[in-house]
Amino acid sequence: MAGPDGQVPDAAETEASLLARAQAGDVAAFERLSGAYADRLFMLLYRLLGDRAEAEDIAQEVMLRAWRGITRFRGQSSYFTWLYRIAMNEANRALEKRARRPAGVSIGAQELELPTAPEEEPSRQAENSELRRALNQALAGLPPPLRTAIVLRDVEGLSTQEAAEIAGVSQAAFKSRLHQARLRVRAAVGDEALVSSGG
Amino acid sequence: MGMLGQAGDHEWSQQHLSHYVEGELRPRARRRLDRHARGCVDCGRGIRAMRALVYAVQGLDGLAGIRAPATIFDRVRLAGPGGAASSQNA
């Protein structure tokens, strides 16, 4: 099973053999198997948490939990989905912990300074930088379940079925969250900014 | 259609713009929104804004500029080969 960007170790068969070796205790096989999804997983955590240092910490924890749980992975979902599910759980745990901290320690759009894709033309970067900033700020201001929905479906480009599975909710519940998230982001950014972006 | 019906259609349309652009509305509901949006500047713009929103959010994927840290497997390496079988806490 490939991830959304089509990354696999070599081929589906190789993933199966890496999985078997990892389940037998081969750390290198586990690293190769999970490493194929590491960038994407880290990006997801960074997007959800909005803080690079915290995302790095949680990413290590996700890999450790996956390693510890690898013998219980039965292939009922793809390995990618299973790994992302662990990442979602860890991100939610971190967000809950953050919510219990004193006020003032919260996600802020200024923390989420994600770079633009390098292949994007400079003129287009400048044109869209304001919209990007507004969108990032709006995403950061969403309650975690809504932010998760829009990140998994629209940013990550996962199918509704896969995204719902990773979020741990029914497809109907997931769609409801997604639509709510979009309505809130639209309200925060404003129709004029969106329409004039030419999307 | 009376004022109440128009107001109801407007509120309903605004709440279903995301479903509309996602292609999730049943044909009858889609026709209802289409019919309303033809005569409603707000909802016509709302459809364009929602499409632009989905497009713009898709463009936020900055994967090409972000890499997982080299330390991502440090804890796995510390746990070692026994880590996979020994823990029940995953």
Side-chain angles (χ1 to χ4, degrees), chain A residues 172 175 179, chain B residues 12 16 18-35:
Chain A
K175 284 179 186 177
H179 297 317
Chain B
W12 177 86
H16 288 83
S18 171
H19 303 73
Y20 181 88
V21 302
E22 195 77 5
E24 286 178 356
L25 291 182
R26 291 175 186 275
R28 188 174 173 183
R30 189 169 186 86
R31 284 197 299 275
R32 178 185 176 188
L33 203 151
D34 275 333
R35 192 167 52 240

Side-chain angles (χ1 to χ4, degrees), chain B:
Chain B
M1 181 180 292
M3 288 300 287
L4 189 61
Q6 287 177 25
D9 269 354
H10 182 71
E11 192 175 337
W12 177 86
S13 295
Q14 286 287 321
Q15 288 301 312
H16 288 83
L17 292 174
S18 171
H19 303 73
Y20 181 88
V21 302
E22 195 77 5
E24 286 178 356
L25 291 182
R26 291 175 186 275
R28 188 174 173 183
R30 189 169 186 86
R31 284 197 299 275
R32 178 185 176 188
L33 203 151
D34 275 333
R35 192 167 52 240
H36 172 76
R38 275 197 294 273
C40 176
V41 174
D42 276 357
C43 287
R45 189 177 54 200
I47 291 171
R48 292 196 300 278
M50 192 57 82
R51 284 191 175 128
L53 166 65
V54 173
Y55 179 81
V57 172
Q58 286 168 350
L60 288 179
D61 184 359
L63 181 66
I66 291 279
R67 289 283 174 264
T71 57
I72 196 165
F73 292 111
D74 280 3
R75 289 177 200 170
V76 172
R77 289 169 191 158
L78 274 175
S86 64
S87 173
Q88 298 299 312
N89 297 325

Side-chain angles (χ1 to χ4, degrees), chain A residues 53-74:
Chain A
E54 189 173 19
E56 288 180 5
D57 178 54
I58 300 301
Q60 287 191 30
E61 197 58 29
V62 169
M63 290 304 183
L64 179 61
R65 284 186 176 269
W67 172 237
R68 285 177 168 170
I70 192 81
T71 54
R72 290 192 293 281
F73 175 69
R74 294 283 175 261

Side-chain angles (χ1 to χ4, degrees), chain A residues 48 144-154 163 167 174 177-178 181:
Chain A
L48 293 173
L146 302 190
R147 190 188 317 148
T148 297
I150 200 167
V151 166
L152 290 176
R153 182 72 178 80
D154 289 343
F174 182 84
R177 290 179 182 184
L178 175 66

Side-chain angles (χ1 to χ4, degrees), chain A residues 13-88:
Chain A
E13 202 176 336
T14 307
E15 181 163 301
S17 70
L18 286 174
L19 178 61
R21 282 166 49 201
Q23 288 183 319
D26 185 337
V27 177
F30 173 79
E31 287 190 24
R32 187 139 178 257
L33 172 67
S34 305
Y37 307 112
D39 288 343
R40 192 114 211 157
L41 184 140
F42 177 66
M43 182 70 187
L44 173 74
L45 291 170
Y46 190 14
R47 175 73 63 189
L48 293 173
L49 298 168
D51 180 271
R52 188 164 196 144
E54 189 173 19
E56 288 180 5
D57 178 54
I58 300 301
Q60 287 191 30
E61 197 58 29
V62 169
M63 290 304 183
L64 179 61
R65 284 186 176 269
W67 172 237
R68 285 177 168 170
I70 192 81
T71 54
R72 290 192 293 281
F73 175 69
R74 294 283 175 261
Q76 287 162 332
S77 64
S78 69
Y79 184 73
F80 160 77
T81 300
W82 183 75
L83 195 60
Y84 257 44
R85 183 92 181 88
I86 295 173
M88 284 304 315

